[in-house]
Amino acid sequence: MFGCSRWWWNYALNKTIEEYKATGKGLSRTQLNALLPPLKKAEETEWLAECYSQVLQATTLNLTRAFKNFFEKRARFPKFKSKRSKQSIQFPQNVSRVGENLKIPKIGIVKAKIHRWFEGRIKTVTITLNPAGQYHASVLVDCECCDLPGTSDKISGVDLGLKHFAIVHDGSKVKKYAHPKILKKHSRNLAKKQKTLSRKKLGSNSRQKARKLVAKVHHRIFNARYDFCHKLSRKLVDENQTLVFENLNVKGMVRNHNLAKAISDSGWGMFTNFCSYKLEQRSGQYVEVDRFFPSSKLCSECFHLMPEMPLDVREWTCSHCGTHHDRDENAGKNLRAEGIRILTSGTEVPASGGECKTKLGPKTKFRQSSKKLETPASIKRGVVHF
Ligand SMILES: [Zn+2]
C-alpha cells in the first residue's frame, strides 16, 4: 500500500504538472480520481487494485491540498516522493480498535502498542513507516473533551535562543527555560553509528542494517525534541492567553556555520507551530513580530535604540537612561510590548508615527490570519502595563 500510494502521488503530481504546462490549468481532485479505474484495469498498473481504494483517494486529497497550500503561499511546491524517505498512507475511515489491536481494511488485525487510550469515533488513521523500519499509526478521534477555554489572560513575550531555549517575559517576571541540547546528548552515539555505516560496503546487507541503526538514533533525537516542544508549549499555553514570538529567519541563521548545528538542534519551528495550534484550540492569540523588529537592540525602559548588539554581548547598559539589561530579558520584554501594541492597534502593519518603535515600521503578521483579531480581555480592562 505504501508503494501504491507513493506511485499514485508521483503519477498524479506529474500529470498535474503536464496538464498545467499544456493548458495553464491543473487537475482537480475529481479529475484525478477519475484516472484511477482505468489504471487499475491496465495491465502495467493492475497492482494498484490491490491497494485499498480509499487510501489512493486520500492521497489524491492530500495532493490537491498540497497544491492549494502552495498557491495560497503556505507551503512550497509539492515534491515527488522517494522510496527511501518516510512512507505514509491514510485511511479516511473504517479502521477500528479491537482490544489492544487495530483492525485495518484489507490488512486485518495488527498488533499495536497503544500509547494512550482514546474515546470517541475514529476518523482518519495515518500509518507511517520511518527509515528505521518502525511502523506508527496516528489515530484521529472525534471527541468533545479537548476544547477547553483558557483560564489565564496573561500576555507573554517569548524570546527563543541558544543559551536558553525560551525566555518568557510576562510583564513582571522572567522565566528562563534551559536548552535541552538533545543533539549533543546523542552526538557520540550518532557519530559511532555513522562511522560504522561509512565503513560498510555499498549495497551490502550489513550496510542496510547499519543504516537502520543510524536512522534509529535520528528517530530517538526527533522523539526527544518532539516531547520537549509539546511539554513546554503546553505549559506556556496553559499559563498565557497570548504569546508573542519573533519571526525567526532560521534558514538565514543556519548559514552561520558556528551556530548551524545548535540552531538545527533547537526545533524552534516545531515549537512555535505547537504553540500556535494549542493557542488556537483555547481561543488564545499567537502573535508574530517581524524579524526586523530590533528586540535586542532596543532599550525596554526608554526605547533608545543601540547602534549594534553583537551576539556575544549578554548584558549591556543603556547609554541613554543607564538601565542595565540582561540581553534576553530585555528582548522578551520588548517582544511583549510590541505584541500588545500590535493587538491594540489591531492592524497587521502598524500606523507610522507615535512612539519611536513604530517609526521603525516593522511588518508583522499573525499565523491565524483567517481569524478576526480580538483585543485580549486583560487589555480591554486596562490591567496590562507596558
Ligand atoms: Zn534606555
Side-chain angles (χ1 to χ4, degrees), residues 299 302 304 318 321:
C299 168
C302 70
H304 175 69
C318 172
C321 71

Side-chain angles (χ1 to χ4, degrees), residues 162-181:
L162 291 176
K163 195 162 166 253
H164 289 97
F165 183 83
I167 291 173
V168 184
H169 205 297
D170 69 357
S172 51
K173 293 189 307 295
V174 179
K175 268 192 209 163
K176 296 185 176 184
Y177 295 94
H179 198 294
K181 304 217 164 107

Side-chain angles (χ1 to χ4, degrees), residues 307-347:
E308 56 179 346
M309 187 63 59
L311 267 178
D312 54 340
V313 177
R314 305 313 308 174
E315 286 173 43
W316 55 283
T317 305
C318 172
S319 60
H320 187 254
C321 71
T323 313
H324 191 70
H325 290 295
D326 173 283
R327 180 201 180 93
D328 301 318
E329 273 184 47
N330 179 59
K333 204 173 171 187
N334 279 331
L335 282 174
R336 181 176 179 274
E338 176 67 7
I340 293 171
R341 192 192 61 70
I342 293 159
L343 284 170
T344 42
S345 66
T347 46

Side-chain angles (χ1 to χ4, degrees), residues 2 127-130 133-137:
F2 284 127
I127 298 177
T128 55
L129 167 65
N130 66 18
Q134 299 160 323
Y135 290 90
H136 292 267

